[in-house]
Amino acid sequence: MRVRSSFFASFCLVLEVLSVALFLRGFFPVPVKSSFSSKSKLSDLPDEPFTGSSPNLSKVPDPIFKRVVIVLIDALREDFVFGPNGRKYMPYTRHLVERGSTHSFVAKARPPTVTMPRIKALTTGSIPGFIDVVMNLNSPALLEDNLIWQAKMAGKRMVFYGDDTWVKLFPKHFMEYDGTTSFFVSDYTEVDNNVTRHLDNTLKRDDWDILILHYLGLDHIGHISGPHSSLIQPKLMEMDDILKKIHGSLILKETEGALPYLLVLCGDHGMSETGSHGGSSAHEVNTPLVLISPAFKRKVGMEKPPTIEQVDLTPTLALGLGLPISQNSVGRLIQPVVEEASLRDQLRFLHLNGHQLSCLLKDSMPAYEKEEGYEQFRVAEKSHGNWLKLVVEGNTSEVLNNMGKKVLKQYLEALRVMSAALSKQMGKYDMYSMVVGVVLVFQLLLLLLLAMPEALSGASEVDLPVSSALLSLPFYLLCLLLFSVHMLVCTSAESACYFCSLPWGLVFGAVALSSALLCILVSMAARKGAKPPGKSPSRASGGGWSLSELDILLLAGTAGHTLSLSASSFVEEEHQVWYFLLNTLCLVVFQDVCRKYFRERSANIGVIGCSEDKDCLPPSKEGYAVASPLTDLGVTGADSERWLALATPLLTLACCRLLRSLNQTGVQWVHLPDLGHWLNSSEHKTVLSLLAAMSLALIYFLVQRRCSWVSKIALALGLLGVYSYRAAVGNVVLPWQHSGGNMSKGTMKARFVYVFILGIFFTGSKDLLRSQVITADARLKSRGLWEIYSGVVLLVALLFRAHNLPVLCCCLLVQSLMAQFIWKKLHYDAAQTTIMHYWFGQAFFYFQGNSNSIATVDISVGFVGLESYVEAPAVFLTALSTYAGPLLWASHLICYLSSENRRGLRRKMATPKVPAHTRSKTR
């Protein structure tokens, strides 16, 4: 069955998307949620576990605090307050931590450490999933039970100023609010001034109960210049002054006999060493939590803050304000907050928290009664009832006090175990759905690899043995076997799998598809073994189809990388896999170069009338001589060609090794200093400036060769604009500019570059349209593609940070050398060249400093040339910068294949074939 390559590619793409979706459905489990659709109510709270006959006298707990102020500083790292620089950054806060009436903690935020999921965690007490990262861009209203809704239902008057994500999550909940956009990271002054401008007037009023302030400036500074920027200290001192103002106002309003206030200082997440967030490194998940209230004892010295979960703040605030705990909360009461209350009140708070966790445990686990935490809670509840019976009877002995403290410890342990069990539910993957998705993806990958030579050939068709596979006995046996496995897994699994919940028709279709793909793969592999070799010189010249060392490496490396992604360690450190594969590829290519130019040199002498004192022209695939002048780089002569070809894989290895040192990535070693940190330090700005200038000059030399003179001029001016933009934002210095010059946003200079980028795109698109509509000129089409490619290069150069310009430079250098001396001269076919481009693209993704953690996504590039947040260009520029490596290599592949096709057609038209009798004499 012969199908067009376009149809075949579309079919594989659709199946790949469905398979990946099935895998993701298993990899991202459904969050732990209560089965009750309604929200918690005060009337639903349980009675005290009293075992006697007297009525319960404390069904609804009294609130501890009258007024709460929450100061949330976005990206506030734990060491900014508790670290050695805490006294310098936030002196007043540090004084309160050491000598004030405070409780200090290190609150651990669960990944993903992104603002919207963290706000959900702080208000619901649940652990959001990674799907919330996508929703972070357009936050919908939060419908599940949460602290803000409970406060509104209780009549609490709330005021909010800051990140407008709160306004989107909680519409119509606040009595008064003013939201500021959180995405325009270039602004770190007005975004906080818009919050503070309301503060004086609000603190003078008494018509509110809860005040929430969410400051974004610190987070924006981190995205722009990192946690060690000179802007960090002034911003933290500004936050410290604000906290001092709020604390002083609350002290003045404190009245005798009234309930005390509570001032909360916290962060939603931390900040990595690169200034970003989203991952699970210590600096990203560890945030400070400082609770300030006259209800606490005054400190006598600095103590090491204990570690708690960030979601523990939710039940603590709920109980402190006399509100029900959110149904989906997995947090537990921060016991030191209520330690000044009576023992009976403390036990009551813990009992309410335990009851809520036990109800959530019932809803989320079928065998909840066997859970250790649930059993411990029941034991503590029974002991609590016995203790309470003695209290009601008037027993005041010391034994009773010790018994109460023992019950308190039982409650705390039960809460810890139940909270851990519920949190662990987030890490339970649907392994069966994941395995099915991986198997389908792997089968499609092998099918693509086997069909790629045919798909990329001139006929653009793929011969799939569909009928023979579907009519074979192994197909039916495989269907029966896989369906039996499905029945076995779905009937014996302890927890329901998503794939098991699908209709039987879909399941049978998936089973039949997997069986058919396996039979087709076997048939295609057998057919390849029976076919004669193709025209590629990398194939063996025997009677059967054999694989060269390069083919084996490309197939085994691609398949091995796919299999490695089944292990989390390989996902976290995926860059190591690509670095290893790329180095091995260079060594295999080096072997091919040595074989062609040195080992087989004597065999080529005399093939077409050559001698040792003359330059030999290698025979083409058609059997006649083809001249190969190195016109692109101005190199002539077979000897120069041999040595440059020999040096290309070695130079590629050297570039890859240099780029590995430029940006540390991954998880385990990302904290180690690298060359990028050294270049970005203020004392090495001159070195960075010289390196950036040299890189931009080499980029121009490598890209302009295939462009028209108009595009060459636009490219040169655009690259000058790139350097001027980097100088304006303070990354590099101009010769006449001092390193301590004033920083600006560089908006006009960036827009200056955008004009030339659009001009180059227009010129290239015009040439492409002319080649397709007006005249069928392959040369014009190739030039149009290369000009569009040069426009992409200029755009990437503008978005890349200054220390990453060598990455772009090395990318273009390797592309030029490999195209000129390896892919063209060694006559690698389209399939081999395509896979090599894929490998290089993946490796350069990590050379940029990216990783599989969203913490390495540099969102500041989304605002290059923008003065406000505009969603479409911001998302586009961020995605383009992040995936610049794969994009550049994919674009180069299209341009290279187009140029090779044009060159092949030109050779066929210009060079007549050698007559048969002449070829026989030559032999």
Side-chain angles (χ1 to χ4, degrees), residues 405-425:
K405 292 180 179 179
K406 181 180 179 181
V407 175
L408 187 143
K409 291 180 180 179
Q410 289 177 335
Y411 268 134
L412 290 175
E413 180 62 19
L415 294 181
R416 184 190 66 80
V417 177
M418 284 193 293
S419 177
L422 289 167
S423 300
K424 192 176 180 181
Q425 284 289 97

Side-chain angles (χ1 to χ4, degrees), residues 65-72 159 199 202-203 208-215 242-243 245-247 249-250 253 260-266 289-292 313 317 321:
F65 307 109
K66 176 183 179 181
R67 179 173 292 178
V68 174
V69 179
I70 300 176
V71 180
L72 194 156
V159 177
L199 196 56
T202 304
L203 292 176
W208 54 268
D209 301 302
I210 300 176
L211 172 63
I212 303 175
L213 308 172
H214 188 152
Y215 286 95
I242 291 171
L243 188 79
K245 177 188 293 186
I246 297 172
H247 189 217
S249 175
L250 292 175
K253 288 181 177 295
Y261 63 83
L262 175 64
L263 175 58
V264 180
L265 172 66
C266 62
L289 176 61
V290 182
L291 305 177
I292 307 167
L313 182 62
L317 290 178
L321 290 170

Side-chain angles (χ1 to χ4, degrees), residues 166-425:
W166 289 79
V167 181
K168 297 175 182 178
L169 287 173
F170 311 107
K172 301 180 181 179
H173 285 63
F174 300 109
M175 176 187 72
E176 180 181 323
Y177 64 88
D178 185 11
T180 58
T181 179
S182 60
F183 291 105
F184 188 52
V185 298
S186 298
D187 174 24
Y188 53 86
T189 53
E190 291 300 321
V191 73
D192 287 343
N193 292 339
N194 288 336
V195 179
T196 308
R197 62 185 175 141
H198 302 284
L199 196 56
D200 290 334
N201 181 47
T202 304
L203 292 176
K204 293 177 183 177
R205 293 155 34 196
D206 292 322
D207 60 346
W208 54 268
D209 301 302
I210 300 176
L211 172 63
I212 303 175
L213 308 172
H214 188 152
Y215 286 95
L216 292 162
L218 182 66
D219 179 63
H220 291 184
I221 291 174
H223 285 297
I224 295 171
S225 52
H228 304 293
S229 168
S230 58
L231 301 172
I232 292 289
Q233 182 176 350
K235 176 56 65 176
L236 288 174
M237 294 185 70
E238 176 189 343
M239 297 295 101
D240 190 61
D241 291 338
I242 291 171
L243 188 79
K244 182 179 180 180
K245 177 188 293 186
I246 297 172
H247 189 217
S249 175
L250 292 175
I251 291 175
L252 292 176
K253 288 181 177 295
E254 188 73 15
T255 58
E256 188 71 25
L259 290 177
Y261 63 83
L262 175 64
L263 175 58
V264 180
L265 172 66
C266 62
D268 55 345
H269 53 73
M271 183 189 302
S272 69
E273 284 298 299
T274 59
S276 189
H277 55 87
S280 58
S281 67
H283 287 308
E284 292 170 83
V285 301
N286 290 338
T287 64
L289 176 61
V290 182
L291 305 177
I292 307 167
S293 175
F296 307 147
K297 289 183 179 179
R298 183 173 293 275
K299 294 289 185 64
V300 295
M302 180 63 180
E303 302 173 356
K304 183 179 180 180
T307 300
I308 62 171
E309 294 290 333
Q310 190 183 58
V311 292
D312 294 344
L313 182 62
T314 306
T316 304
L317 290 178
L319 294 174
L321 290 170
L323 305 174
I325 301 175
S326 304
Q327 287 182 345
N328 300 320
S329 172
V330 299
R332 50 200 174 106
L333 175 68
I334 304 175
Q335 196 271 333
V337 175
V338 299
E339 63 183 2
E340 297 301 314
S342 65
L343 186 57
R344 181 174 180 177
D345 287 343
Q346 293 184 52
L347 294 178
R348 176 60 174 157
F349 289 133
L350 294 173
H351 174 246
L352 291 174
N353 194 183
H355 175 77
Q356 176 266 322
L357 290 176
S358 65
C359 290
L360 186 58
L361 205 62
K362 291 179 184 179
D363 293 338
S364 58
M365 297 183 182
Y368 67 92
E369 293 180 345
K370 298 180 181 180
E371 286 292 327
E372 180 184 0
Y374 185 81
E375 295 177 356
Q376 290 178 346
F377 173 69
R378 288 305 177 199
V379 172
E381 192 176 36
K382 185 177 180 180
S383 301
H384 184 191
N386 294 330
W387 178 86
L388 193 60
K389 179 181 178 182
L390 297 176
V391 171
V392 173
E393 292 175 353
N395 194 327
T396 58
S397 64
E398 184 66 25
V399 175
L400 183 65
N401 187 49
N402 294 334
M403 180 182 175
K405 292 180 179 179
K406 181 180 179 181
V407 175
L408 187 143
K409 291 180 180 179
Q410 289 177 335
Y411 268 134
L412 290 175
E413 180 62 19
L415 294 181
R416 184 190 66 80
V417 177
M418 284 193 293
S419 177
L422 289 167
S423 300
K424 192 176 180 181
Q425 284 289 97

Side-chain angles (χ1 to χ4, degrees), residues 611-669:
S611 60
E612 293 188 8
D613 58 343
K614 295 180 180 180
D615 292 338
C616 295
L617 300 177
S620 72
K621 299 179 182 180
E622 289 78 6
Y624 51 85
V626 177
S628 56
L630 309 180
T631 54
D632 288 337
L633 294 180
V635 181
T636 58
D639 289 336
S640 300
E641 176 185 327
R642 279 194 293 269
W643 290 110
L644 287 174
L646 188 68
T648 294
L650 300 179
L651 184 59
T652 302
L653 277 173
C655 287
C656 293
R657 185 64 189 89
L658 175 64
L659 297 181
R660 287 182 62 178
S661 304
L662 188 63
N663 293 300
Q664 289 283 359
T665 185
V667 173
Q668 297 184 19
W669 297 282

Side-chain angles (χ1 to χ4, degrees), residues 36-51:
F36 298 104
S37 58
S38 61
K39 298 178 173 66
S40 298
K41 301 177 182 178
L42 286 174
S43 59
D44 297 333
L45 295 181
D47 295 338
E48 284 186 300
F50 184 57
T51 58

Side-chain angles (χ1 to χ4, degrees), residues 455-703:
L456 296 176
S457 64
S460 297
E461 289 184 345
V462 179
D463 186 11
L464 297 176
V466 177
S467 58
S468 60
L470 295 180
L471 297 176
S472 62
L473 179 61
F475 169 71
Y476 298 103
L477 293 177
L478 279 172
C479 287
L480 182 60
L481 176 62
L482 294 179
F483 205 75
S484 301
V485 171
H486 176 75
M487 292 286 294
L488 181 64
V489 171
C490 293
T491 54
S492 61
E494 295 182 358
S495 59
C497 301
Y498 175 73
F499 194 65
C500 294
S501 65
L502 293 177
W504 288 102
L506 288 177
V507 173
F508 183 78
V511 169
L513 175 64
S514 180
S515 303
L517 286 175
L518 186 57
C519 293
I520 291 173
L521 289 172
V522 174
S523 300
M524 292 183 68
R527 186 178 65 190
K528 291 288 185 182
K531 276 192 173 184
K535 295 180 180 180
S536 174
S538 64
R539 310 291 185 220
S541 58
W545 188 82
S546 62
L547 298 175
S548 67
E549 294 92 337
L550 179 64
D551 295 321
I552 295 174
L553 172 65
L554 294 177
L555 290 172
T558 305
H561 164 257
T562 304
L563 292 175
S564 72
L565 296 181
S566 61
S568 60
S569 298
F570 280 102
V571 174
E572 293 174 351
E573 306 295 328
E574 186 184 355
H575 62 287
Q576 301 287 3
V577 177
W578 287 116
Y579 294 166
F580 171 77
L581 291 178
L582 203 61
N583 292 342
T584 308
L585 175 64
C586 291
L587 294 177
V588 173
V589 170
F590 181 76
Q591 174 184 275
D592 281 356
V593 173
C594 292
R595 180 185 292 119
K596 175 178 176 61
Y597 289 104
F598 295 94
R599 180 180 173 186
E600 299 177 358
R601 180 181 179 185
S602 57
N604 290 332
I605 296 177
V607 172
I608 314 180
C610 296
S611 60
E612 293 188 8
D613 58 343
K614 295 180 180 180
D615 292 338
C616 295
L617 300 177
S620 72
K621 299 179 182 180
E622 289 78 6
Y624 51 85
V626 177
S628 56
L630 309 180
T631 54
D632 288 337
L633 294 180
V635 181
T636 58
D639 289 336
S640 300
E641 176 185 327
R642 279 194 293 269
W643 290 110
L644 287 174
L646 188 68
T648 294
L650 300 179
L651 184 59
T652 302
L653 277 173
C655 287
C656 293
R657 185 64 189 89
L658 175 64
L659 297 181
R660 287 182 62 178
S661 304
L662 188 63
N663 293 300
Q664 289 283 359
T665 185
V667 173
Q668 297 184 19
W669 297 282
V670 69
H671 62 282
L672 298 178
D674 51 37
L675 190 57
H677 286 94
W678 185 85
L679 290 171
N680 282 314
S681 60
S682 57
E683 57 267 22
H684 301 127
K685 186 172 288 189
T686 303
V687 178
L688 178 60
S689 303
L690 292 174
L691 183 62
M694 293 172 57
S695 298
L696 291 173
L698 188 54
I699 289 170
Y700 177 77
F701 171 75
L702 293 170
V703 174

Side-chain angles (χ1 to χ4, degrees), residues 675-744:
L675 190 57
H677 286 94
W678 185 85
L679 290 171
N680 282 314
S681 60
S682 57
E683 57 267 22
H684 301 127
K685 186 172 288 189
T686 303
V687 178
L688 178 60
S689 303
L690 292 174
L691 183 62
M694 293 172 57
S695 298
L696 291 173
L698 188 54
I699 289 170
Y700 177 77
F701 171 75
L702 293 170
V703 174
Q704 56 83 29
R705 293 176 292 123
R706 299 181 180 90
C707 298
S708 63
W709 65 271
V710 175
S711 297
K712 289 181 179 180
I713 295 175
L715 182 64
L717 294 176
L719 291 174
L720 286 175
V722 170
Y723 190 89
S724 300
Y725 168 74
R726 286 297 161 191
V729 297
N731 299 138
V732 298
V733 293
L734 294 168
W736 57 85
Q737 178 186 10
H738 296 291
S739 59
N742 294 329
M743 292 175 55
S744 69

